[in-house]
Amino acid sequence: MNLRKAFPVIIVLVVVMGLSLKLCRRQANTGAVHSGTTAVRHQEADSNNASGQPGLNRHPSHFKYSKHAKCRMDCRHITGEEISEILKTGTINYRKSELNGEECSKKYAVEGYTRDQQHLRVIFAPCNDAVTVVTCIDLETEWTCHCEGDHH
């Protein structure tokens, strides 16, 4: 095969390899960083699951709900199952989290989509084997809620 006949084949192979590499990099980055924010999936803050170290426990023995969270869930049509799914599969938004202080005073802002495509941010406060749901926010729909402590 002479070089003139092989050249187009070589060009096609190089382009295909380049596109494949780009796709692989994009897929690898999708699980790590979410849309330019500081939201990181299942990394250092999730260490409580296996090692017993402090962090966000993605599989708590039980949930607690603040009065505010129950009110927000009710007016925004969010179920406990959806809250649990966000905890398990969502991404931590470190800019919206409060991670300084004692272990039981930290709050993790976890974002994700429910099965019916509601885009949520849920604030979780882990302490020992439980996780308290502090509040939940629909990031795309403005709901009218009249919860205790709201400023009208």
Side-chain angles (χ1 to χ4, degrees):
M1 182 179 223
N2 80 30
L3 192 56
R4 282 186 163 217
K5 289 182 180 178
F7 187 73
V9 173
I10 293 170
I11 294 298
V12 169
L13 288 174
V14 169
V15 169
V16 169
M17 288 173 47
L19 291 173
S20 295
L21 182 61
K22 186 175 182 178
L23 180 63
C24 287
R25 283 184 182 161
R26 182 178 296 155
Q27 287 175 342
N29 289 338
T30 300
V33 178
H34 177 67
S35 67
T37 68
T38 53
V40 178
R41 182 183 292 273
H42 304 265
Q43 288 183 348
E44 70 277 355
D46 298 338
S47 60
N48 202 23
N49 288 341
S51 66
Q53 297 298 315
L56 180 58
N57 182 356
R58 298 259 185 182
H59 304 282
S61 60
H62 62 282
F63 281 92
K64 297 178 183 180
Y65 296 88
S66 71
K67 188 184 249 186
H68 182 76
K70 287 180 186 178
C71 180
R72 293 289 186 204
M73 289 169 64
D74 184 50
C75 73
R76 293 173 175 159
H77 309 285
I78 300 167
T79 67
E81 288 176 350
E82 290 171 319
I83 295 290
S84 179
E85 191 65 27
I86 296 295
L87 177 62
K88 289 176 187 169
T89 64
T91 56
I92 298 170
N93 183 331
Y94 285 97
R95 282 194 264 170
K96 298 293 183 176
S97 297
E98 297 174 14
L99 303 180
N100 295 324
E102 301 296 317
E103 280 312 306
C104 288
S105 68
K106 294 182 179 185
K107 294 182 178 111
Y108 292 86
V110 181
E111 299 176 2
Y113 288 89
T114 63
R115 289 189 180 138
D116 62 353
Q117 296 306 303
Q118 195 172 4
H119 190 194
L120 301 180
R121 176 184 302 136
V122 182
I123 308 301
F124 294 102
C127 188
N128 302 320
D129 291 335
V131 170
T132 299
V133 178
V134 177
T135 192
C136 53
I137 302 153
D138 187 319
L139 296 172
E140 295 175 0
T141 303
E142 189 69 34
W143 296 90
T144 302
C145 295
H146 300 289
C147 299
E148 189 175 312
D150 285 349
H151 301 285
H152 300 285

